[in-house]
Amino acid sequence: MDFFAVITTLLTISSIFSYINARWIKLPGAIGVMLLAIGSALLTIFAGKTLPDFTRLIQELSNSIDFSSTLLDILLGFLLFASALHFDIKKLKSNLQGVLIISTVGVLLSTLIFAALLHYALSYAGHEIPMIYCLVFGALVSPTDAVAVAALLKNTRMPRRLETIINGESLFNDGIGIVLFITFLGLAATPGSQFSLTHTASLFAQEVFGGLLLGLLLGTIAYRMMRVIRDFQTIVMISLSLVMMISLLGSMLHVSIPLAVVAAGLLIGSKPFSDNEESRLNEYLQRIWGLLDELLNTVLFVLIGLQLVMVSFSTDYFVAGAFAIVILLVARMMSIVLPIAFLKRSLRIQYTSVGILTWAGLRGGISVALALSLPPSPYRELILTASFCVVVFSILVQGLTLNKVVHRLLQEKNE
């Protein structure tokens, strides 16, 4: 397919799935369209000869899209900027320590705990996988996904403070997650190489601080341009070009694009464009980006579902996926409990909130994108299939039951 045909087909399928969900299924938008996309992918795999034209269309569409590049280099910047633009900076400041601890130390702990438990569990089940690949797997599934979190927390009855921590964590944890993924993948690709704390720290500083600096610099320039004009069309164009410039320069400078767009979005969303209190330019811009966020979210979750055609259907791989789901929940819980145990007073997070924070740690497209970016190895298909199991469980099961879990745990707390 050529570029225009791919975009047309993808948008048409997304529109049809969104219509079917809104008209009959009536699930939350992200969950409904992803469920339909998974159903289409399964139909392609198991009933391909019955519907050859439909099968060919889905396969051509999936093969024509580089999901990793499309998400990490294009879609992610727009989605994170939209989330950051709507984020309440005052709430973030009041919960900043908890957000930073969980999004850094928490991700590291989750990765290490997940890798150790998975290595032991698979060895016990007779499926040997080197520890370094367990660490690679842990690094790509430990960070929560800001896109999935934002899409599925909108209609929950989550306590405001916990919602702020979960949203804030998902916006900031990509930096350390990607650094860990790159570090462990480099060690896996070059057997015999030694872990270098200096190199990892340098990479972390470049990705994280470089990304924040780039986002704040370009965000400040864009804000000052928006501040001196009243033409709303131009303001929207500046915001769009800002995200695209960050994505372009971020890939050239090898800094974290997610952190850069988050920094720019928080900066622009927290400041008014005019001293006139009656000006509604900020509100209008947030509405435009809110609509764009909804549209791109629909397309993204359709893409995630269609990626099922890339998965190897092996019983061993799905067993590994089942292990990974349970172990990731345990690792997530422990990565929250341990910081609370040492920093309970400063974090101001109660042990009774651990269950909510654990179940609300959703994974999404970033985990699938990183798994698809893995180079060929004897363990690539296992990690890819198990990652897909984790993401599907996270969005469909945790996403659909999140309200019930929150209500149940809060009710037990009050009793």
Side-chain angles (χ1 to χ4, degrees), residues 181-198:
F181 176 77
I182 294 172
T183 301
F184 294 138
L185 184 59
L187 293 174
T190 54
S193 60
Q194 298 295 319
F195 173 76
S196 172
L197 181 60
T198 304

Side-chain angles (χ1 to χ4, degrees), residues 46-294:
F46 295 111
K49 295 181 180 179
T50 307
L51 300 168
D53 292 334
F54 178 76
T55 299
R56 194 180 308 112
L57 176 66
I58 297 298
Q59 289 178 338
E60 285 187 14
L61 180 62
S62 297
N63 292 331
S64 299
I65 298 174
D66 184 342
F67 181 79
S68 294
S69 177
T70 300
L71 175 58
L72 297 176
D73 297 338
I74 302 174
L75 287 180
L76 187 59
F78 289 98
L79 291 166
L80 288 178
F81 183 82
S83 297
L85 197 66
H86 290 85
F87 203 86
D88 190 332
I89 193 69
K90 293 180 181 178
K91 291 182 180 178
L92 176 61
K93 288 180 179 179
S94 63
N95 297 281
L96 187 59
Q97 187 172 7
V99 168
L100 292 180
I101 291 294
I102 295 177
S103 63
T104 54
V105 176
V107 173
L108 178 59
L109 287 173
S110 176
T111 300
L112 297 177
I113 294 169
F114 174 86
L117 293 178
L118 183 70
H119 181 71
Y120 174 78
L122 292 182
S123 298
Y124 182 79
H127 304 293
E128 292 291 338
I129 178 171
M131 175 60 78
I132 187 61
Y133 280 98
C134 291
L135 288 167
V136 170
F137 190 4
L140 67 89
V141 294
S142 287
T144 56
D145 191 305
V147 178
V149 168
L152 298 177
L153 282 186
K154 291 178 180 178
N155 299 316
T156 64
R157 295 185 292 271
M158 184 77 64
R160 293 300 180 188
R161 186 165 181 276
L162 292 182
E163 184 177 348
T164 300
I165 291 174
I166 293 167
N167 272 317
E169 172 205 1
S170 66
L171 286 175
F172 287 104
N173 64 15
D174 294 300
I176 189 169
I178 291 175
V179 169
L180 290 173
F181 176 77
I182 294 172
T183 301
F184 294 138
L185 184 59
L187 293 174
T190 54
S193 60
Q194 298 295 319
F195 173 76
S196 172
L197 181 60
T198 304
H199 174 71
T200 303
S202 174
L203 182 62
F204 178 81
Q206 178 180 334
E207 286 277 344
V208 175
F209 298 114
L212 292 173
L213 182 61
L214 177 65
L216 292 173
L217 176 62
L218 294 185
T220 300
I221 294 172
Y223 172 74
R224 290 184 176 180
M225 293 172 65
M226 296 174 177
R227 174 93 175 157
V228 296
I229 59 174
R230 294 294 176 268
D231 183 25
F232 183 64
Q233 175 180 317
T234 305
I235 290 175
V236 173
M237 291 176 65
I238 291 172
S239 68
L240 291 171
S241 64
L242 168 64
V243 175
M244 297 171 76
M245 280 299 298
I246 288 176
S247 299
L248 180 62
L249 292 177
S251 61
M252 292 172 60
L253 299 173
H254 302 290
V255 300
S256 174
I257 296 173
L259 288 177
V261 293
V262 166
L266 289 174
L267 187 150
I268 291 176
S270 63
K271 295 183 177 182
F273 296 147
S274 172
D275 293 328
N276 183 0
E277 295 182 359
E278 296 183 358
S279 175
R280 304 182 69 182
L281 291 176
N282 288 76
E283 179 186 344
Y284 294 153
L285 184 65
Q286 288 183 352
R287 287 184 180 181
I288 291 292
W289 275 96
L291 177 61
L292 185 61
D293 183 39
E294 294 286 347

Side-chain angles (χ1 to χ4, degrees), residues 23 45 82 128 150 178 180 253 271 281 298 317 342 353 373:
R23 182 70 175 83
I45 295 168
E128 292 291 338
I178 291 175
L180 290 173
L253 299 173
K271 295 183 177 182
L281 291 176
T298 300
Y317 295 168
F342 289 98
S353 301
S373 72

Side-chain angles (χ1 to χ4, degrees), residues 5 28 38 52 85 112 134 143 147 218 269 274 299 312 317 329 338 341 350 354 362 366 380:
I38 290 174
L85 197 66
L112 297 177
C134 291
V147 178
L218 294 185
S274 172
V299 172
S312 297
Y317 295 168
L329 288 172
L338 291 175
Q350 301 299 319
V354 170
L362 305 176
I366 294 177
R380 182 183 187 275

